[in-house]
Amino acid sequence: MPTLRNSLAAADISHHLHPRTNWRTHEAIGPQIITRGDGAEIEDDAGRRYIEGMAGLWCASLGFNHPRLAKAGAAQLEKLAFYHTFAHRTTDIASDLAARLGEMAPNGLRRVCLNTSGSEATETMVKFAWSYHAARGQPERRKVISRNRGFHGSTIVAASMSGLPDMHREYGLPLPGFIYVRCPDLYREGQPGESEKAFAQRLATELEEMIEREGAGSIAAFIAEPILAGGGVVVPPADYFPNIQAVLDKHGILMLDDEVVCGFGRTGNWFGCETVGMRPDMMAVAKALSSSYFPISATLISDEMYEVLADNHKGAAFGHGFTNSGHPVGAAIALEALDVYNELDLITLVRQKGERLREGLERRIGSHPFVGQIRGRGLIMGVELAADPAARQGFPPAFNSAALVNAAAFERGLALRSMMGDILGICPPYVITDEQIDQLVDRLALALDDVTPALREAAGS
Ligand SMILES: Cc1ncc(COP(=O)(O)O)c(C=O)c1O
């Protein structure tokens, strides 16, 4: 077994170009190879088990081997493994999924464009925004405003909308016309003594100043995750979206809602926009749509937008689509996932489990000398570490305190994610048991203890 494992690791190092991984570091340390899943747990090739505290990449909402999703996928593979949705064709199952999504979406977003990845779903929103404005006589509305630390995907436009410098550096991105406003993170961006209300107002004012500087007539859309995930689990102040919405409405700018992480219960409501008081003109969903058992995503729009876009085809076909748009296997798994969510009474379940997680974190690590803030909604939480919590002073950027805790947690059988230097993400599958939530909290607390001497040294205390 060790030889096999070593040869597999060597093959991986030789051939496999890993996403979001430093390739030189990978040459030195090799892969962590996961071979099995069991509910909210995963197992590596050496037989070690881990609680997957991040549902993989904020996605495997029903764990790693849900029998009903496996069965639904297998049955569809046997019945009709592929058919497309171009040129009026469809499958029974793709049409069924579009209708189900259209019926459950908020804000009248009942028209559904099925895609494959989250990046495709967010980019599709940009195409729709451009086409919508052009059809209404404003083709010069092209710019898209997003937020620093927002994440909307890795393809060129999606990366241009992502306010994460690592997504831009190697490629000369963002593309022209993709501009950023401040992240609604009161903890890091708030001024001394500034209230949530004042902070939310300041951000709306900054947005309006940017719109006036750029020219409202040049701006198509504003894109936002209800709760920023990859940028460090940032929950905006209560007034933030209502204030932003008022500015966008005044200037005729569309609100694009990226629900790729927040959709399907994650924040304790069916969609994140309901949690934060956002009123989307379009919405992108993916990940929990199929629990990521199959790559499938969707972009949703209203009837009103549909009418404008349909007329803008001007007799030709809609110039967009992917080979795997509305893939029947993905659709079958997504429909089953939606059934399972309903049977689980998902919203009640996420709120209860989220409360247990929050309460456990507060109790076990809330007063740790290097924990600055514990935040989140439902089953998406962030822990912000700080060299000096009272002063909201982070660790030196190169130190990467969260990566240190993350590595220690992995050693203790817990998979998490480190972000933005000092932030740990926690986003477990909905099928995590109460006992596993307690174990997750316990392992995180022990991992923090493991690295406390190093944190103390870096903090200079
Ligand atoms: C909020 C958000 N939007 C979009 C994406 C891109 O999704 P994908 O990786 O499926 O293209 C992600 C991926 O993590 C995400 O977190």
Side-chain angles (χ1 to χ4, degrees):
M1 185 64 187
T3 319
L4 181 64
R5 204 184 317 141
N6 291 343
S7 69
L8 197 58
D12 187 85
I13 291 169
S14 295
H15 299 289
H16 190 178
L17 305 179
H18 285 253
R20 304 291 287 272
T21 297
N22 182 290
W23 292 352
R24 293 289 180 220
T25 308
H26 194 69
E27 290 166 16
I29 69 173
Q32 291 157 343
I33 302 173
I34 307 304
T35 54
R36 305 181 75 81
D38 178 13
E41 293 191 342
I42 50 166
E43 189 177 308
D44 71 13
D45 60 336
R48 282 185 296 251
R49 286 173 77 99
Y50 307 80
I51 293 174
E52 229 307 349
M54 272 294 297
L57 293 172
W58 328 86
C59 58
S61 44
L62 293 174
F64 295 88
N65 64 340
H66 199 289
R68 281 186 46 190
L69 302 202
K71 212 164 149 211
Q76 186 61 41
L77 275 167
E78 283 175 11
K79 183 175 167 226
L80 177 67
F82 175 78
Y83 207 71
H84 67 84
T85 55
F86 282 27
H88 309 283
R89 302 262 167 86
T90 186
T91 58
D92 48 355
I93 198 100
S95 298
D96 196 3
L97 177 63
R100 278 283 289 279
L101 286 174
E103 279 159 17
M104 71 187 287
N107 214 28
L109 303 178
R110 33 190 310 279
R111 305 280 181 155
V112 181
C113 177
L114 294 169
N115 304 297
T116 310
S117 68
S119 304
E120 290 169 1
T122 59
E123 286 213 18
T124 300
M125 294 200 290
V126 176
K127 280 191 177 172
F128 284 163
W130 286 345
S131 176
Y132 176 79
H133 289 301
R136 290 167 31 113
Q138 295 189 295
E140 56 294 332
R141 279 194 183 262
R142 303 283 295 179
K143 291 179 190 162
V144 177
I145 304 175
S146 45
R147 286 99 50 85
N148 283 324
R149 295 166 59 189
F151 184 64
H152 304 292
S154 299
T155 48
I156 292 174
V157 162
S160 291
M161 296 191 288
S162 298
L164 296 173
D166 279 358
M167 303 301 294
H168 299 158
R169 212 175 5 86
E170 293 157 85
Y171 318 109
L173 293 176
L175 291 174
F178 290 85
I179 50 182
Y180 305 92
V181 287
R182 190 183 303 276
C183 176
D185 179 359
L186 179 64
Y187 185 85
R188 287 197 184 183
E189 301 285 342
Q191 291 166 350
E194 192 173 31
S195 68
E196 284 211 355
K197 222 175 169 51
F199 179 62
Q201 187 50 54
R202 174 158 67 91
L203 266 51
T205 304
E206 286 178 0
L207 172 66
E208 185 139 37
E209 285 166 359
M210 170 183 269
I211 292 169
E212 277 158 13
R213 238 180 3 256
E214 299 283 336
S218 72
I219 301 170
F222 178 93
I223 185 167
E225 302 155 77
I227 291 178
L228 285 96
V233 189
V234 177
V235 183
D239 287 344
Y240 174 75
F241 276 111
N243 290 356
I244 294 288
Q245 195 84 58
V247 174
L248 300 180
D249 290 350
K250 185 169 149 197
H251 294 284
I253 297 168
L254 298 170
M255 171 71 93
L256 314 186
D257 177 11
D258 182 345
E259 295 268 355
V260 167
V261 169
C262 294
F264 306 103
R266 181 52 70 185
T267 67
N269 289 296
W270 275 104
F271 295 97
C273 59
E274 301 162 67
T275 303
V276 300
M278 180 193 214
R279 184 169 41 73
D281 293 302
M282 299 183 216
M283 197 164 96
V285 296
K287 297 194 191 261
L289 171 56
S290 68
S291 189
S292 279
Y293 285 23
F294 198 91
I296 184 165
S297 65
T299 304
L300 290 87
I301 60 173
S302 65
D303 284 342
E304 187 254 314
M305 182 151 309
Y306 166 81
E307 292 299 334
V308 174
L309 298 181
D311 285 343
N312 203 31
H313 295 169
K314 306 223 168 19
F318 170 41
H320 181 77
F322 304 99
T323 303
N324 291 311
S325 293
H327 196 290
V329 177
I333 293 173
L335 278 168
E336 192 70 13
L338 295 179
D339 282 345
V340 173
Y341 292 155
N342 280 318
E343 289 165 32
L344 282 175
D345 188 7
L346 186 66
I347 302 312
T348 309
L349 176 129
V350 167
R351 289 181 184 185
Q352 280 169 356
K353 289 193 190 295
E355 207 35 57
R356 189 180 186 96
L357 176 62
R358 174 190 291 278
E359 189 274 325
L361 291 170
E362 295 284 359
R363 182 167 37 77
R364 288 286 269 122
I365 63 169
S367 48
H368 186 280
F370 297 117
V371 168
Q373 191 182 49
I374 297 169
R375 56 182 181 244
R377 292 281 183 280
L379 272 175
I380 179 167
M381 305 287 297
V383 175
E384 175 125 14
L385 304 171
D388 179 354
R392 294 188 182 177
Q393 173 67 47
F395 286 92
F399 176 63
N400 219 338
S401 67
L404 205 65
V405 179
N406 192 28
F410 202 69
E411 283 299 307
R412 289 196 171 269
L414 172 62
L416 297 176
R417 168 141 170 188
S418 66
M419 296 169 286
M420 312 297 302
D422 293 334
I423 304 169
L424 285 159
I426 309 173
C427 182
Y430 304 149
V431 295
I432 192 167
T433 63
D434 285 351
E435 193 192 352
Q436 286 170 331
I437 291 176
D438 299 344
Q439 285 170 347
L440 181 160
V441 169
D442 204 47
R443 290 177 195 179
L444 173 55
L446 292 171
L448 257 176
D449 289 346
D450 292 342
V451 302
T452 293
L455 296 179
R456 189 160 282 134
E457 198 180 317
S461 55

